[in-house]
mmCIF file of all heavy atoms in Angstrom:
data_model
loop_
_atom_site.group_PDB
_atom_site.id
_atom_site.type_symbol
_atom_site.label_atom_id
_atom_site.label_comp_id
_atom_site.label_asym_id
_atom_site.label_seq_id
_atom_site.Cartn_x
_atom_site.Cartn_y
_atom_site.Cartn_z
ATOM 1 N N LEU A 1 11.620 92.294 35.151
ATOM 2 C CA LEU A 1 12.746 92.341 34.213
ATOM 3 C C LEU A 1 13.850 91.380 34.635
ATOM 4 O O LEU A 1 14.466 90.710 33.800
ATOM 5 C CB LEU A 1 13.292 93.769 34.118
ATOM 6 C CG LEU A 1 12.427 94.783 33.385
ATOM 7 C CD1 LEU A 1 12.986 96.193 33.564
ATOM 8 C CD2 LEU A 1 12.303 94.441 31.904
ATOM 9 N N VAL A 2 14.100 91.311 35.930
ATOM 10 C CA VAL A 2 15.151 90.428 36.441
ATOM 11 C C VAL A 2 14.714 88.965 36.360
ATOM 12 O O VAL A 2 15.422 88.113 35.821
ATOM 13 C CB VAL A 2 15.503 90.803 37.899
ATOM 14 C CG1 VAL A 2 16.396 89.741 38.526
ATOM 15 C CG2 VAL A 2 16.175 92.164 37.950
ATOM 16 N N ARG A 3 13.543 88.694 36.885
ATOM 17 C CA ARG A 3 13.112 87.311 37.039
ATOM 18 C C ARG A 3 12.756 86.648 35.706
ATOM 19 O O ARG A 3 13.050 85.470 35.494
ATOM 20 C CB ARG A 3 11.902 87.253 37.975
ATOM 21 C CG ARG A 3 11.469 85.846 38.374
ATOM 22 C CD ARG A 3 10.311 85.859 39.348
ATOM 23 N NE ARG A 3 9.120 86.442 38.750
ATOM 24 C CZ ARG A 3 8.549 87.562 39.179
ATOM 25 N NH1 ARG A 3 9.071 88.217 40.202
ATOM 26 N NH2 ARG A 3 7.452 88.021 38.604
ATOM 27 N N GLU A 4 12.145 87.398 34.792
ATOM 28 C CA GLU A 4 11.617 86.788 33.580
ATOM 29 C C GLU A 4 12.434 87.085 32.331
ATOM 30 O O GLU A 4 12.262 86.399 31.320
ATOM 31 C CB GLU A 4 10.165 87.234 33.379
ATOM 32 C CG GLU A 4 9.255 86.810 34.521
ATOM 33 C CD GLU A 4 7.872 87.428 34.411
ATOM 34 O OE1 GLU A 4 7.440 87.715 33.281
ATOM 35 O OE2 GLU A 4 7.227 87.633 35.459
ATOM 36 N N GLN A 5 13.293 88.102 32.397
ATOM 37 C CA GLN A 5 14.096 88.434 31.216
ATOM 38 C C GLN A 5 15.596 88.306 31.463
ATOM 39 O O GLN A 5 16.397 88.578 30.574
ATOM 40 C CB GLN A 5 13.744 89.841 30.724
ATOM 41 C CG GLN A 5 12.295 89.977 30.290
ATOM 42 C CD GLN A 5 11.948 91.354 29.752
ATOM 43 O OE1 GLN A 5 12.788 92.044 29.181
ATOM 44 N NE2 GLN A 5 10.700 91.761 29.928
ATOM 45 N N GLY A 6 15.961 87.927 32.681
ATOM 46 C CA GLY A 6 17.372 87.760 32.982
ATOM 47 C C GLY A 6 18.166 89.046 32.921
ATOM 48 O O GLY A 6 19.390 89.026 32.738
ATOM 49 N N ALA A 7 17.492 90.185 33.092
ATOM 50 C CA ALA A 7 18.166 91.473 32.979
ATOM 51 C C ALA A 7 18.916 91.814 34.262
ATOM 52 O O ALA A 7 18.570 91.348 35.355
ATOM 53 C CB ALA A 7 17.151 92.563 32.675
ATOM 54 N N ARG A 8 19.928 92.655 34.109
ATOM 55 C CA ARG A 8 20.605 93.248 35.261
ATOM 56 C C ARG A 8 19.979 94.620 35.488
ATOM 57 O O ARG A 8 20.033 95.480 34.607
ATOM 58 C CB ARG A 8 22.102 93.386 34.994
ATOM 59 C CG ARG A 8 22.812 92.061 34.772
ATOM 60 C CD ARG A 8 24.128 92.257 34.055
ATOM 61 N NE ARG A 8 23.926 92.801 32.708
ATOM 62 C CZ ARG A 8 24.923 93.076 31.867
ATOM 63 N NH1 ARG A 8 26.172 92.867 32.229
ATOM 64 N NH2 ARG A 8 24.661 93.573 30.675
ATOM 65 N N VAL A 9 19.396 94.825 36.647
ATOM 66 C CA VAL A 9 18.599 96.018 36.912
ATOM 67 C C VAL A 9 19.105 96.723 38.157
ATOM 68 O O VAL A 9 19.345 96.086 39.198
ATOM 69 C CB VAL A 9 17.107 95.661 37.087
ATOM 70 C CG1 VAL A 9 16.296 96.894 37.479
ATOM 71 C CG2 VAL A 9 16.555 95.052 35.803
ATOM 72 N N LEU A 10 19.237 98.039 38.052
ATOM 73 C CA LEU A 10 19.511 98.892 39.209
ATOM 74 C C LEU A 10 18.219 99.620 39.561
ATOM 75 O O LEU A 10 17.650 100.327 38.728
ATOM 76 C CB LEU A 10 20.611 99.904 38.887
ATOM 77 C CG LEU A 10 20.831 101.020 39.920
ATOM 78 C CD1 LEU A 10 21.290 100.439 41.256
ATOM 79 C CD2 LEU A 10 21.836 102.038 39.398
ATOM 80 N N LEU A 11 17.743 99.429 40.774
ATOM 81 C CA LEU A 11 16.541 100.092 41.267
ATOM 82 C C LEU A 11 16.961 101.169 42.256
ATOM 83 O O LEU A 11 17.518 100.869 43.321
ATOM 84 C CB LEU A 11 15.622 99.075 41.947
ATOM 85 C CG LEU A 11 14.341 99.593 42.606
ATOM 86 C CD1 LEU A 11 13.448 100.293 41.593
ATOM 87 C CD2 LEU A 11 13.589 98.453 43.280
ATOM 88 N N LEU A 12 16.726 102.430 41.911
ATOM 89 C CA LEU A 12 17.134 103.567 42.735
ATOM 90 C C LEU A 12 15.909 104.116 43.462
ATOM 91 O O LEU A 12 14.933 104.521 42.840
ATOM 92 C CB LEU A 12 17.741 104.664 41.859
ATOM 93 C CG LEU A 12 19.096 104.351 41.229
ATOM 94 C CD1 LEU A 12 19.415 105.346 40.121
ATOM 95 C CD2 LEU A 12 20.195 104.349 42.278
ATOM 96 N N GLU A 13 15.975 104.150 44.788
ATOM 97 C CA GLU A 13 14.877 104.658 45.609
ATOM 98 C C GLU A 13 15.402 105.771 46.515
ATOM 99 O O GLU A 13 16.418 105.606 47.198
ATOM 100 C CB GLU A 13 14.282 103.521 46.455
ATOM 101 C CG GLU A 13 13.370 103.948 47.599
ATOM 102 C CD GLU A 13 12.209 104.824 47.142
ATOM 103 O OE1 GLU A 13 11.607 104.527 46.093
ATOM 104 O OE2 GLU A 13 11.916 105.804 47.849
ATOM 105 N N ALA A 14 14.690 106.911 46.518
ATOM 106 C CA ALA A 14 15.128 108.057 47.317
ATOM 107 C C ALA A 14 14.895 107.846 48.805
ATOM 108 O O ALA A 14 15.543 108.489 49.632
ATOM 109 C CB ALA A 14 14.399 109.317 46.857
ATOM 110 N N GLY A 15 13.959 106.971 49.169
ATOM 111 C CA GLY A 15 13.623 106.747 50.568
ATOM 112 C C GLY A 15 14.443 105.641 51.193
ATOM 113 O O GLY A 15 15.466 105.203 50.663
ATOM 114 N N SER A 16 13.928 105.169 52.334
ATOM 115 C CA SER A 16 14.683 104.221 53.144
ATOM 116 C C SER A 16 14.084 102.818 53.059
ATOM 117 O O SER A 16 13.190 102.543 52.267
ATOM 118 C CB SER A 16 14.712 104.709 54.595
ATOM 119 O OG SER A 16 13.388 104.918 55.069
ATOM 120 N N SER A 17 14.584 101.936 53.898
ATOM 121 C CA SER A 17 14.138 100.553 53.904
ATOM 122 C C SER A 17 12.698 100.434 54.374
ATOM 123 O O SER A 17 12.223 101.210 55.211
ATOM 124 C CB SER A 17 15.045 99.726 54.833
ATOM 125 O OG SER A 17 14.482 98.448 55.076
ATOM 126 N N HIS A 18 12.009 99.421 53.867
ATOM 127 C CA HIS A 18 10.626 99.150 54.260
ATOM 128 C C HIS A 18 10.539 98.264 55.493
ATOM 129 O O HIS A 18 9.443 97.922 55.925
ATOM 130 C CB HIS A 18 9.889 98.477 53.102
ATOM 131 C CG HIS A 18 10.490 97.154 52.685
ATOM 132 N ND1 HIS A 18 11.761 97.049 52.186
ATOM 133 C CD2 HIS A 18 9.995 95.892 52.714
ATOM 134 C CE1 HIS A 18 12.025 95.776 51.920
ATOM 135 N NE2 HIS A 18 10.975 95.055 52.231
ATOM 136 N N HIS A 19 11.667 97.892 56.051
ATOM 137 C CA HIS A 19 11.660 97.023 57.226
ATOM 138 C C HIS A 19 11.473 97.858 58.485
ATOM 139 O O HIS A 19 12.419 98.462 59.008
ATOM 140 C CB HIS A 19 12.966 96.227 57.311
ATOM 141 C CG HIS A 19 13.091 95.168 56.269
ATOM 142 N ND1 HIS A 19 12.359 94.020 56.268
ATOM 143 C CD2 HIS A 19 13.864 95.120 55.145
ATOM 144 C CE1 HIS A 19 12.666 93.274 55.217
ATOM 145 N NE2 HIS A 19 13.582 93.932 54.520
ATOM 146 N N HIS A 20 10.254 97.907 58.974
ATOM 147 C CA HIS A 20 9.943 98.630 60.204
ATOM 148 C C HIS A 20 8.611 98.113 60.732
ATOM 149 O O HIS A 20 7.666 97.931 59.959
ATOM 150 C CB HIS A 20 9.870 100.138 59.940
ATOM 151 C CG HIS A 20 9.816 100.970 61.191
ATOM 152 N ND1 HIS A 20 8.660 101.136 61.933
ATOM 153 C CD2 HIS A 20 10.773 101.673 61.838
ATOM 154 C CE1 HIS A 20 8.909 101.902 62.966
ATOM 155 N NE2 HIS A 20 10.188 102.240 62.927
ATOM 156 N N PRO A 21 8.483 97.870 62.045
ATOM 157 C CA PRO A 21 7.239 97.306 62.587
ATOM 158 C C PRO A 21 5.997 98.117 62.252
ATOM 159 O O PRO A 21 4.943 97.546 61.966
ATOM 160 C CB PRO A 21 7.499 97.268 64.104
ATOM 161 C CG PRO A 21 8.980 97.213 64.242
ATOM 162 C CD PRO A 21 9.523 98.005 63.095
ATOM 163 N N LEU A 22 6.097 99.452 62.287
ATOM 164 C CA LEU A 22 4.925 100.266 61.993
ATOM 165 C C LEU A 22 4.477 100.106 60.546
ATOM 166 O O LEU A 22 3.283 100.172 60.239
ATOM 167 C CB LEU A 22 5.206 101.741 62.280
ATOM 168 C CG LEU A 22 5.009 102.224 63.710
ATOM 169 C CD1 LEU A 22 5.306 103.709 63.795
ATOM 170 C CD2 LEU A 22 3.596 101.934 64.206
ATOM 171 N N LEU A 23 5.429 99.907 59.643
ATOM 172 C CA LEU A 23 5.074 99.725 58.248
ATOM 173 C C LEU A 23 4.417 98.373 58.013
ATOM 174 O O LEU A 23 3.533 98.240 57.164
ATOM 175 C CB LEU A 23 6.316 99.853 57.358
ATOM 176 C CG LEU A 23 7.034 101.193 57.374
ATOM 177 C CD1 LEU A 23 8.259 101.134 56.464
ATOM 178 C CD2 LEU A 23 6.119 102.316 56.941
ATOM 179 N N ASP A 24 4.842 97.378 58.770
ATOM 180 C CA ASP A 24 4.307 96.034 58.569
ATOM 181 C C ASP A 24 2.862 95.903 59.055
ATOM 182 O O ASP A 24 2.064 95.189 58.463
ATOM 183 C CB ASP A 24 5.175 95.006 59.296
ATOM 184 C CG ASP A 24 6.525 94.792 58.610
ATOM 185 O OD1 ASP A 24 6.674 95.246 57.460
ATOM 186 O OD2 ASP A 24 7.410 94.184 59.219
ATOM 187 N N MET A 25 2.532 96.576 60.154
ATOM 188 C CA MET A 25 1.206 96.423 60.747
ATOM 189 C C MET A 25 0.168 97.227 59.968
ATOM 190 O O MET A 25 0.408 98.398 59.650
ATOM 191 C CB MET A 25 1.212 96.867 62.209
ATOM 192 C CG MET A 25 2.038 95.992 63.122
ATOM 193 S SD MET A 25 1.838 96.458 64.857
ATOM 194 C CE MET A 25 2.418 98.143 64.826
ATOM 195 N N PRO A 26 -1.000 96.651 59.667
ATOM 196 C CA PRO A 26 -2.026 97.385 58.916
ATOM 197 C C PRO A 26 -2.379 98.761 59.474
ATOM 198 O O PRO A 26 -2.522 99.701 58.688
ATOM 199 C CB PRO A 26 -3.221 96.421 58.957
ATOM 200 C CG PRO A 26 -2.598 95.073 59.010
ATOM 201 C CD PRO A 26 -1.378 95.240 59.878
ATOM 202 N N PRO A 27 -2.537 98.954 60.802
ATOM 203 C CA PRO A 27 -2.931 100.289 61.269
ATOM 204 C C PRO A 27 -1.789 101.276 61.422
ATOM 205 O O PRO A 27 -2.000 102.400 61.895
ATOM 206 C CB PRO A 27 -3.575 99.999 62.636
ATOM 207 C CG PRO A 27 -2.862 98.799 63.143
ATOM 208 C CD PRO A 27 -2.549 97.975 61.916
ATOM 209 N N GLY A 28 -0.584 100.885 61.007
ATOM 210 C CA GLY A 28 0.560 101.766 61.191
ATOM 211 C C GLY A 28 0.420 103.101 60.493
ATOM 212 O O GLY A 28 1.033 104.090 60.897
ATOM 213 N N ILE A 29 -0.409 103.165 59.447
ATOM 214 C CA ILE A 29 -0.593 104.412 58.702
ATOM 215 C C ILE A 29 -1.042 105.552 59.602
ATOM 216 O O ILE A 29 -0.655 106.705 59.427
ATOM 217 C CB ILE A 29 -1.609 104.217 57.548
ATOM 218 C CG1 ILE A 29 -1.766 105.529 56.756
ATOM 219 C CG2 ILE A 29 -2.939 103.722 58.041
ATOM 220 C CD1 ILE A 29 -2.668 105.412 55.542
ATOM 221 N N PHE A 30 -1.866 105.249 60.606
ATOM 222 C CA PHE A 30 -2.392 106.317 61.447
ATOM 223 C C PHE A 30 -1.336 106.879 62.397
ATOM 224 O O PHE A 30 -1.519 107.952 62.961
ATOM 225 C CB PHE A 30 -3.608 105.814 62.229
ATOM 226 C CG PHE A 30 -4.773 105.507 61.332
ATOM 227 C CD1 PHE A 30 -5.107 104.205 61.016
ATOM 228 C CD2 PHE A 30 -5.504 106.524 60.747
ATOM 229 C CE1 PHE A 30 -6.162 103.919 60.166
ATOM 230 C CE2 PHE A 30 -6.557 106.255 59.889
ATOM 231 C CZ PHE A 30 -6.888 104.954 59.598
ATOM 232 N N LYS A 31 -0.236 106.157 62.554
ATOM 233 C CA LYS A 31 0.889 106.671 63.326
ATOM 234 C C LYS A 31 1.787 107.554 62.470
ATOM 235 O O LYS A 31 2.604 108.306 62.982
ATOM 236 C CB LYS A 31 1.716 105.504 63.892
ATOM 237 C CG LYS A 31 1.021 104.686 64.963
ATOM 238 C CD LYS A 31 1.057 105.385 66.306
ATOM 239 C CE LYS A 31 0.557 104.465 67.402
ATOM 240 N NZ LYS A 31 0.569 105.139 68.727
ATOM 241 N N MET A 32 1.630 107.433 61.130
ATOM 242 C CA MET A 32 2.584 108.086 60.239
ATOM 243 C C MET A 32 1.990 109.205 59.399
ATOM 244 O O MET A 32 2.729 110.063 58.922
ATOM 245 C CB MET A 32 3.183 107.049 59.283
ATOM 246 C CG MET A 32 3.948 105.947 59.966
ATOM 247 S SD MET A 32 4.611 104.777 58.753
ATOM 248 C CE MET A 32 3.099 104.035 58.123
ATOM 249 N N ILE A 33 0.691 109.209 59.196
ATOM 250 C CA ILE A 33 0.097 110.040 58.160
ATOM 251 C C ILE A 33 0.379 111.528 58.360
ATOM 252 O O ILE A 33 0.509 112.285 57.411
ATOM 253 C CB ILE A 33 -1.421 109.785 58.065
ATOM 254 C CG1 ILE A 33 -1.990 110.385 56.777
ATOM 255 C CG2 ILE A 33 -2.149 110.310 59.287
ATOM 256 C CD1 ILE A 33 -1.549 109.723 55.533
ATOM 257 N N ASN A 34 0.496 111.968 59.614
ATOM 258 C CA ASN A 34 0.719 113.391 59.867
ATOM 259 C C ASN A 34 2.172 113.726 60.198
ATOM 260 O O ASN A 34 2.465 114.811 60.674
ATOM 261 C CB ASN A 34 -0.198 113.864 61.002
ATOM 262 C CG ASN A 34 -1.656 113.873 60.584
ATOM 263 O OD1 ASN A 34 -1.991 114.257 59.472
ATOM 264 N ND2 ASN A 34 -2.527 113.421 61.475
ATOM 265 N N GLY A 35 3.075 112.800 59.920
ATOM 266 C CA GLY A 35 4.487 113.086 60.137
ATOM 267 C C GLY A 35 5.316 111.834 60.282
ATOM 268 O O GLY A 35 5.123 111.084 61.232
ATOM 269 N N SER A 36 6.227 111.579 59.348
ATOM 270 C CA SER A 36 7.039 110.375 59.399
ATOM 271 C C SER A 36 8.178 110.502 58.409
ATOM 272 O O SER A 36 8.031 111.118 57.346
ATOM 273 C CB SER A 36 6.196 109.144 59.059
ATOM 274 O OG SER A 36 7.015 108.026 58.776
ATOM 275 N N LYS A 37 9.308 109.881 58.720
ATOM 276 C CA LYS A 37 10.421 109.868 57.773
ATOM 277 C C LYS A 37 10.096 109.018 56.550
ATOM 278 O O LYS A 37 10.777 109.095 55.529
ATOM 279 C CB LYS A 37 11.687 109.343 58.440
ATOM 280 C CG LYS A 37 11.678 107.843 58.711
ATOM 281 C CD LYS A 37 13.035 107.366 59.216
ATOM 282 C CE LYS A 37 13.064 105.843 59.370
ATOM 283 N NZ LYS A 37 14.400 105.362 59.780
ATOM 284 N N PHE A 38 9.059 108.185 56.659
ATOM 285 C CA PHE A 38 8.665 107.339 55.544
ATOM 286 C C PHE A 38 7.725 108.055 54.575
ATOM 287 O O PHE A 38 7.239 107.457 53.633
ATOM 288 C CB PHE A 38 7.998 106.066 56.057
ATOM 289 C CG PHE A 38 8.883 105.256 56.956
ATOM 290 C CD1 PHE A 38 8.566 105.079 58.292
ATOM 291 C CD2 PHE A 38 10.049 104.684 56.480
ATOM 292 C CE1 PHE A 38 9.374 104.340 59.127
ATOM 293 C CE2 PHE A 38 10.868 103.942 57.306
ATOM 294 C CZ PHE A 38 10.543 103.772 58.636
ATOM 295 N N MET A 39 7.461 109.325 54.840
ATOM 296 C CA MET A 39 6.602 110.127 53.974
ATOM 297 C C MET A 39 7.354 111.377 53.524
ATOM 298 O O MET A 39 8.142 111.960 54.274
ATOM 299 C CB MET A 39 5.344 110.572 54.720
ATOM 300 C CG MET A 39 4.485 109.447 55.238
ATOM 301 S SD MET A 39 3.480 108.745 53.954
ATOM 302 C CE MET A 39 1.945 108.502 54.832
ATOM 303 N N ARG A 40 7.076 111.798 52.311
ATOM 304 C CA ARG A 40 7.516 113.103 51.811
ATOM 305 C C ARG A 40 6.247 113.930 51.590
ATOM 306 O O ARG A 40 5.270 113.427 51.052
ATOM 307 C CB ARG A 40 8.288 112.927 50.501
ATOM 308 C CG ARG A 40 8.567 114.217 49.770
ATOM 309 C CD ARG A 40 9.275 113.933 48.461
ATOM 310 N NE ARG A 40 10.688 113.652 48.680
ATOM 311 C CZ ARG A 40 11.490 113.136 47.752
ATOM 312 N NH1 ARG A 40 11.004 112.816 46.568
ATOM 313 N NH2 ARG A 40 12.757 112.920 48.010
ATOM 314 N N TYR A 41 6.266 115.169 52.020
ATOM 315 C CA TYR A 41 5.058 115.991 51.988
ATOM 316 C C TYR A 41 5.193 117.111 50.955
ATOM 317 O O TYR A 41 6.032 117.994 51.087
ATOM 318 C CB TYR A 41 4.769 116.564 53.384
ATOM 319 C CG TYR A 41 4.472 115.482 54.388
ATOM 320 C CD1 TYR A 41 5.506 114.863 55.084
ATOM 321 C CD2 TYR A 41 3.172 115.042 54.610
ATOM 322 C CE1 TYR A 41 5.251 113.840 55.987
ATOM 323 C CE2 TYR A 41 2.901 114.033 55.509
ATOM 324 C CZ TYR A 41 3.944 113.429 56.196
ATOM 325 O OH TYR A 41 3.673 112.397 57.085
ATOM 326 N N HIS A 42 4.366 117.044 49.935
ATOM 327 C CA HIS A 42 4.300 118.095 48.936
ATOM 328 C C HIS A 42 3.241 119.103 49.396
ATOM 329 O O HIS A 42 2.082 118.742 49.598
ATOM 330 C CB HIS A 42 3.894 117.529 47.579
ATOM 331 C CG HIS A 42 4.876 116.563 47.006
ATOM 332 N ND1 HIS A 42 5.856 116.944 46.108
ATOM 333 C CD2 HIS A 42 5.043 115.229 47.204
ATOM 334 C CE1 HIS A 42 6.573 115.891 45.778
ATOM 335 N NE2 HIS A 42 6.100 114.830 46.422
ATOM 336 N N GLN A 43 3.639 120.340 49.586
ATOM 337 C CA GLN A 43 2.692 121.387 49.962
ATOM 338 C C GLN A 43 2.205 122.075 48.695
ATOM 339 O O GLN A 43 2.991 122.523 47.868
ATOM 340 C CB GLN A 43 3.351 122.400 50.902
ATOM 341 C CG GLN A 43 2.349 123.356 51.534
ATOM 342 C CD GLN A 43 3.018 124.221 52.583
ATOM 343 O OE1 GLN A 43 3.702 125.183 52.250
ATOM 344 N NE2 GLN A 43 2.811 123.888 53.843
#
């Protein structure tokens, strides 16, 4: 919407920044899957 339509867009995200070494590395998921601030767990 921003790049191709020149729109002004507000993107609201409940979580935090994606800048973290564990998130960048492909195997980081196995460090996070059973508990991480980057995950929300629906029981």
